Amino acid sequence: MTLRRKLDPLKSYPLICLALSLCLISMPSWAQEEEAEEELGWSNSTDLGLVITDGNSSTETLGFNNFLQRLWNNSRYTMRLEAVRSNTADDPFAVVIPEIEGGFDVIYPDKKLDVERYYIENRYDRNITARFFWNAGVSWERNKNAGILNRYIGFAGVGNLWWTREDLKFSTTYGLSYTDREDEVQDPFKDDTFVGFRFGWEYLNQWGKVTTYRNTWNYTNSLSDTSDYYSDMMNSITVAINDRLALRVSLQWLYNSIPSLEDVTLFVLDPDTGLKVEIGEVPIRKEKLDSIFSTSLVINF
């Protein structure tokens, strides 16, 4: 039997995340009461990728990333959205029609959801000195292929700006986080909620006039169980076509040291006939590492 955690209807996490996001957006307005801060404006970058096949294979794959940013001279607000969704049809199969001798009918299954991942992060950074800053944020993630129904994280910490040139930027952050997660299959060996240590970096290197390499990494480790940690690293190369359009190739690694459980069907093989007989289900752990490779068109405005 599969056990699932009963959700508390009073825990309206999306509303909480939205409220915190609005607070983060309004933080600079509070700060302006004490010190006038120059607004540098909004910017947005959207990645779109779509693959559709029909005929011998039937698939629909949509990739969408969006990075929204608002800058002031001493602070910034960012919102990051990621979505991957794929519908795939199983292979056709034949069904015997008893009323017709030697007759059969070919069944072509409809497409169904095969891959689903969503991620939203809201973050606010503010400078303390020219090289030192603090940050706070919230995030939500769903990755059904990895067995994650909901993972909510609130975090806060400090960081350093190591390089701030136009062609080379590098910063590191370190702080604490609070994680509340819900897996498809309840795991007695993992905590649903925990306080963790969070570390991350952002690296950008301009290669010539039109090519940019970017690497970001976030790592979270539970303080109650140090063997329980996960990380998210994104590598991307962007080639600008003009001021508004670019092409991007990216590779993302998602790693969980203790991956989620999944229930798989347990069969017994009959040695005489070779037939498989289903006798139940057994829980196994999913893979620790997920890789996402994508190519996309980037729209800047």
Side-chain angles (χ1 to χ4, degrees):
M1 177 182 295
T2 300
L3 298 177
R4 285 181 170 81
R5 184 177 60 169
K6 185 177 181 181
L7 294 179
D8 186 348
L10 298 178
K11 290 186 176 181
S12 301
Y13 288 108
L15 295 178
I16 294 174
C17 291
L18 177 61
L20 289 174
S21 301
L22 294 176
C23 291
L24 293 176
I25 295 174
S26 60
M27 279 183 178
S29 301
W30 306 340
Q32 286 174 357
E33 296 179 0
E34 300 179 359
E35 177 185 358
E37 188 172 16
E38 179 186 358
E39 181 180 346
L40 303 180
W42 291 92
S43 63
N44 191 85
S45 176
T46 301
D47 295 28
L48 294 174
L50 177 64
V51 176
I52 299 177
T53 66
D54 205 353
N56 290 310
S57 64
S58 182
T59 63
E60 297 174 352
T61 302
L62 173 66
F64 172 81
N65 288 344
N66 195 84
F67 184 79
L68 175 67
Q69 181 173 248
R70 186 179 183 183
L71 292 177
W72 294 264
N73 59 343
N74 286 318
S75 59
R76 70 169 180 166
Y77 162 76
T78 57
M79 181 172 67
R80 183 160 63 102
L81 304 176
E82 298 177 7
V84 178
R85 186 180 177 92
S86 179
N87 295 315
T88 306
D90 293 333
D91 293 334
F93 58 91
V95 177
V96 175
I97 303 176
E99 294 80 7
I100 302 176
E101 184 178 354
F104 62 89
D105 191 13
V106 179
I107 306 298
Y108 294 89
D110 294 331
K111 291 188 288 289
K112 61 182 181 180
L113 185 62
D114 185 41
V115 176
E116 183 182 29
R117 179 179 183 265
Y118 307 107
Y119 180 82
I120 305 174
E121 179 186 275
N122 291 273
R123 172 173 158 175
Y124 177 74
D125 297 72
R126 184 169 181 84
N127 293 343
I128 300 174
T129 67
R131 297 285 182 176
F132 190 60
F133 63 92
W134 65 266
N135 68 79
V138 292
S139 69
W140 168 78
E141 179 181 6
R142 171 169 294 172
N143 188 344
K144 297 195 71 174
N145 292 83
I148 302 170
L149 285 180
N150 296 290
R151 182 160 64 190
Y152 304 92
I153 302 175
F155 59 90
V158 295
N160 289 100
L161 297 169
W162 302 102
W163 290 298
T164 58
R165 296 176 359 213
E166 286 298 321
D167 64 333
L168 182 62
K169 301 180 186 297
F170 181 61
S171 63
T172 54
T173 58
Y174 7 86
L176 296 176
S177 64
Y178 178 79
T179 299
D180 188 341
R181 60 191 173 190
E182 176 195 0
D183 291 345
E184 285 190 306
V185 178
Q186 186 175 3
D187 192 337
F189 302 102
K190 294 197 304 185
D191 296 327
D192 291 334
T193 61
F194 62 87
V195 175
F197 168 74
R198 182 181 175 94
F199 175 79
W201 70 47
E202 295 184 14
Y203 175 79
L204 183 146
N205 194 350
Q206 187 77 29
W207 297 345
K209 295 183 179 180
V210 298
T211 305
T212 303
Y213 169 73
R214 184 187 296 271
N215 176 277
T216 61
W217 181 47
N218 286 308
Y219 168 87
T220 301
N221 200 150
S222 171
L223 295 179
S224 58
D225 180 6
T226 55
S227 66
D228 186 2
Y229 60 89
Y230 52 87
S231 74
D232 177 355
M233 177 175 284
M234 172 73 80
N235 295 275
S236 67
I237 297 176
T238 306
V239 179
I241 300 174
N242 53 42
D243 292 340
R244 297 294 184 184
L245 298 177
L247 296 176
R248 177 172 294 157
V249 178
S250 63
L251 176 61
Q252 186 175 20
W253 290 310
L254 303 171
Y255 184 85
N256 283 279
S257 65
I258 306 178
S260 300
L261 293 172
E262 67 174 324
D263 292 326
V264 297
T265 305
L266 182 62
F267 293 95
V268 171
L269 183 63
D270 189 325
D272 297 327
T273 63
L275 296 177
K276 295 187 298 183
V277 179
E278 180 179 340
I279 62 172
E281 290 184 333
V282 61
I284 64 170
R285 291 217 174 267
K286 290 180 174 287
E287 296 291 331
K288 293 184 178 182
L289 179 65
D290 284 331
S291 300
I292 303 173
F293 176 79
S294 63
T295 59
S296 57
L297 175 69
V298 182
I299 306 172
N300 299 302
F301 57 90

